[in-house]
Structure formats: C-alpha cells, structure tokens
Amino acid sequence: MIYSSSDLHLNHNKSFIYEPRGFKNIYEMNNTIIKNFNSIITWEDDLYLLGDNFLGELESGISLFNQLPGKIHLIWGNHDTDNRKEIMSKCHNVVETIGYAGMIKYNKYHFYISHFPTCTTNFDDYKKSLKQRTLCL
C-alpha cells in the first residue's frame, strides 16, 4: 500500500500543536501517533511524509521518527532544518529524499506532492476525470 501524511510535529512541545489535536501533552501525542501509524502501516508499505515530521531536540525527535513503519519517502517542510534533513535522510526506514516537491504516478493517477499547498490544475479541469488531472497532496 501507499500512504501519505504531513505535519506530524513529533516532539513539538507547544500546546497550540497538541491541545487542538485532543492531547494533554506531547508524550500522549507522540505515543498515539506512533501507535496509530504502526496499527495501519506495515514495514513493506510506502509512506510519503510531506514535511514537518519532528521538532525540538534532535536526538529524542529522531528516536521517535525511527519508530515509524514503512519505506519512507521524504518531502521537506518549512520546519525541516538542514540538521533535521541530514539526520532523517540517514534513518533506516528512509528510502528516498525527494526535496520540496515531486510527482507520483500510480494506476494512471498523477499526484503532485508537496508540504506547501500548490495550484496544480486549470479551472476547467473539473470537467475531466480524476485520471486526467494532476492531484495535489
């Protein structure tokens, strides 16, 4: 299977991140995210992570990131510093670093993947089938 997600913000110790998500603290948020990912995604699945995977202290952040399952394909986000990019790129579960944007073709569908919202279509594309459009994730 192929999965995508964005803005995990693991280890981000700011209440404006974890409280709106329904968590009391970052530990509860981190554990729930990892538990949920591991309950759905297998180590054989492809997982496209579209930026802002972890924040805060590097060592504890990467420890959490290493617990995510799947063959991970990375897209960079606005919180992905050069240090974080380098560390994530070397993780055992990362198979590809794409950069800030890329394309995926799957079963005749075309997906533009980016952390940043992007207009990928003409206004008349609503008349076309999904297989004739480029879909933005």
Side-chain angles (χ1 to χ4, degrees), residues 1-16:
M1 284 292 263
I2 298 174
Y3 296 92
S4 69
S5 188
S6 178
D7 294 279
L8 301 181
H9 285 258
L10 293 167
N11 209 40
H12 194 171
N13 191 12
K14 299 291 183 192
S15 61
F16 65 83

Side-chain angles (χ1 to χ4, degrees), residues 76 80-90 100:
W76 304 130
D80 296 322
T81 63
D82 289 342
N83 284 343
R84 288 189 188 105
K85 289 179 197 174
E86 183 178 344
I87 290 170
M88 280 188 284
S89 296
K90 295 177 182 175
Y100 285 95

Side-chain angles (χ1 to χ4, degrees), residues 1 3 37-47 69-71:
M1 284 292 263
Y3 296 92
F37 268 67
N38 279 284
S39 73
I40 296 169
I41 301 167
T42 71
W43 290 97
E44 290 77 38
D45 292 328
D46 285 288
L47 173 59
K71 296 179 278 188

Side-chain angles (χ1 to χ4, degrees), residues 16-100:
F16 65 83
I17 293 294
Y18 59 79
E19 285 180 355
R21 294 177 172 187
F23 300 108
K24 296 176 186 156
N25 55 56
I26 63 166
Y27 307 107
E28 184 181 327
M29 180 184 75
N30 292 339
N31 290 333
T32 301
I33 289 171
I34 292 168
K35 178 184 168 196
N36 289 345
F37 268 67
N38 279 284
S39 73
I40 296 169
I41 301 167
T42 71
W43 290 97
E44 290 77 38
D45 292 328
D46 285 288
L47 173 59
Y48 287 82
L49 291 178
L50 309 183
D52 295 0
N53 299 304
F54 73 88
L55 282 88
E57 197 270 320
L58 290 176
E59 190 172 314
S60 57
I62 205 65
S63 174
L64 294 165
F65 182 81
N66 275 324
Q67 296 176 51
L68 295 173
K71 296 179 278 188
I72 296 177
H73 307 259
L74 292 173
I75 293 284
W76 304 130
N78 56 303
H79 290 292
D80 296 322
T81 63
D82 289 342
N83 284 343
R84 288 189 188 105
K85 289 179 197 174
E86 183 178 344
I87 290 170
M88 280 188 284
S89 296
K90 295 177 182 175
C91 288
H92 69 95
N93 46 358
V94 172
V95 296
E96 178 181 30
T97 56
I98 297 170
Y100 285 95

